[in-house]
Amino acid sequence: SRRQRQMCIRDRFISMAIIAKNLGPESFGKIQYVFSIHYLLQIMELISHPSIVKQMLLENKYTHNIIMGSSFFINAFMAVTILMTSSIIAYFLYDDKYLLTIFIAAQIGLLARSFNNVSFYFDSVLESKKTSTSQFLGNFISNTSRVIAIFFTHNLIIQSLLFSLQFFVTSLANIIYYSKSPHAINIKTWKIDKKLVKHILRLSTPLLFTALASVIFFKIDIIMLEHLVSTRAVGIYSVAVKLSEPWFFFSGAIITSFFP
């Protein structure tokens, strides 16, 4: 698991360097700006917070299929709402329809992340290696395909679609692992409980604001640069700041190892 994370960081850094070199500061800045907005919107998924769902799976106060069904419903509803709302706002905010298409293509991956509750299940039964493997596959396939595509076309819409591909691959791998798990239940039997949905939302809201503050801290600089300076400045800054990101792996690895 730790080795896979190291490989993900390495592959992401190498692919970023190749893509940045081929696209140039202007185009790379544009795509990084769109991806930064994606990560800000993605945090809204935590309205069904992983810690809350994992705790419920461990406590067994509710049946497995009800917990999974209710958390999936919240994730799917939020993904569709975020995608529709952000697309409408972007339509009126951006005069450049090309940028709008890039933006929508990058947000499609939110739909696939509706199945994030499957990874919560694996964490609750101490099988997080399956989740790590799924994430590794998603990142590797997405980054590799983006690098290959950049040598044939500089179309940013294709880059955004391939960026979203990682979430679909990760979710598909998780679902396959889940279907083969001896303790799992068929996805078709998942059920939605309105009371549990409200309970999850009530417990997750304070944690959502905490996570939102953290993501804003990491991503707001790129968005500010786009509006205060230029897209070219975003491209140059994004390459520079990527050099510091791998160091966060070490603190994350220590926390993950000792937390259980």
Side-chain angles (χ1 to χ4, degrees), residues 241-260:
V241 78
K242 287 289 181 181
L243 296 172
S244 66
E245 288 187 355
W247 293 100
F248 289 106
F249 163 78
F250 295 103
S251 59
I254 293 173
I255 292 172
T256 303
S257 298
F258 285 95
F259 183 73

Side-chain angles (χ1 to χ4, degrees), residues 127-197:
E127 294 182 3
S128 57
K129 184 178 181 179
K130 295 179 180 179
T131 303
S132 299
T133 302
S134 299
Q135 291 176 343
F136 171 74
L137 287 173
N139 278 280
F140 179 77
I141 293 174
S142 175
N143 291 332
T144 303
S145 58
R146 287 180 64 197
V147 170
I148 294 173
I150 203 66
F151 291 112
F152 295 95
T153 176
H154 289 183
N155 190 310
L156 299 184
I157 297 175
I158 293 177
Q159 285 292 317
S160 287
L161 289 173
L162 293 176
F163 168 78
S164 296
L165 178 64
Q166 64 179 303
F167 304 114
F168 286 95
V169 173
T170 299
S171 293
L172 178 60
N174 276 331
I175 291 171
I176 292 174
Y177 278 130
Y178 181 78
S179 63
K180 295 181 178 180
S181 177
H183 304 293
I185 296 177
N186 194 312
I187 292 178
K188 295 180 180 179
T189 64
W190 287 0
K191 296 181 180 179
I192 302 171
D193 186 290
K194 293 182 179 179
K195 292 183 179 180
L196 182 59
V197 168

Side-chain angles (χ1 to χ4, degrees), residues 8-18 239 242-243 246:
C8 282
I9 293 173
R10 183 194 62 191
D11 293 342
R12 191 179 303 167
F13 182 80
I14 294 173
S15 62
M16 181 274 301
I18 296 173
V239 174
K242 287 289 181 181
L243 296 172

Side-chain angles (χ1 to χ4, degrees), residues 30 34 87-105 155-157 160:
K30 188 176 293 186
V34 171
S87 298
I88 293 172
I89 293 173
Y91 177 81
F92 292 102
L93 186 63
Y94 305 129
D95 296 329
D96 187 354
K97 300 307 177 186
Y98 181 57
L99 182 61
L100 174 62
T101 308
I102 297 169
F103 177 85
I104 295 174
N155 190 310
L156 299 184
I157 297 175
S160 287

